[in-house]
């Protein structure tokens, strides 16, 4: 019985450790993606760059406080910000189809 309990305990810790590592990796990838988007926004024309950067900062603030107060509203707002960023990027790519903008 003790051996079986030890086996189950070890299996449980193994699964939990894997989930922790996966979550940490996703967090790092998300942070890198946000940082890359912020740096790439600087390459846009001035008017679009400032708007994009302010939207990215607002998105980051929403995601940082996602689980503190009203997570549904925070998530909804962050998704709206993503849509605004994509629509701005699409509009700019149509106006100026250069390699940098694309």
């Amino acid at each position: 019985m003790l051996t079986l309990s030890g086996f189950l305990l070890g299996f449980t810790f193994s699964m939990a450790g894997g989930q922790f590592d996966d979550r940490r990796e996703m967090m790092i990838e998300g942070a890198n993606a946000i940082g890359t988007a912020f740096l790439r926004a600087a390459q846009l024309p001035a008017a679009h760059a400032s708007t994009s950067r302010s939207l990215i900062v607002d998105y980051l603030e929403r995601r940082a406080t996602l689980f503190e107060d009203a997570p549904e509203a925070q998530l909804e707002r962050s998704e709206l910000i993503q849509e605004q960023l994509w629509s701005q990027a699409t509009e700019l790519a149509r106006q100026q189809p250069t390699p940098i903008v694309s």
Side-chain angles (χ1 to χ4, degrees):
M1 190 67 146
L2 185 61
T3 304
L4 182 60
S5 296
F7 175 73
L8 288 175
L9 186 63
F11 188 70
T12 303
F13 278 127
S14 174
M15 286 179 46
Q19 289 177 350
F20 175 77
D21 290 339
D22 291 345
R23 181 175 168 87
R24 182 179 57 189
E25 187 176 318
M26 287 189 316
M27 297 270 299
I28 290 171
E29 288 175 6
N32 286 337
I34 291 170
T36 301
F38 190 78
L39 292 174
R40 287 183 180 171
Q43 303 300 317
L44 299 174
H48 291 283
S50 63
T51 305
S52 293
R53 282 185 155 199
S54 66
L55 283 171
I56 292 170
V57 168
D58 190 23
Y59 175 81
L60 185 58
E61 289 172 355
R62 300 288 177 200
R63 297 300 288 194
T65 61
L66 182 62
F67 297 108
E68 290 178 8
D69 26 293
E72 294 86 16
Q74 297 284 21
L75 188 59
E76 187 176 310
R77 175 67 180 138
S78 66
E79 289 173 356
L80 179 64
I81 293 170
Q82 283 180 349
E83 289 175 14
Q84 290 173 338
L85 282 167
W86 275 113
S87 66
Q88 183 180 18
T90 304
E91 176 188 331
L92 185 60
R94 285 187 185 135
Q95 291 174 359
Q96 299 177 1
T98 63
I100 291 177
V101 172
S102 296

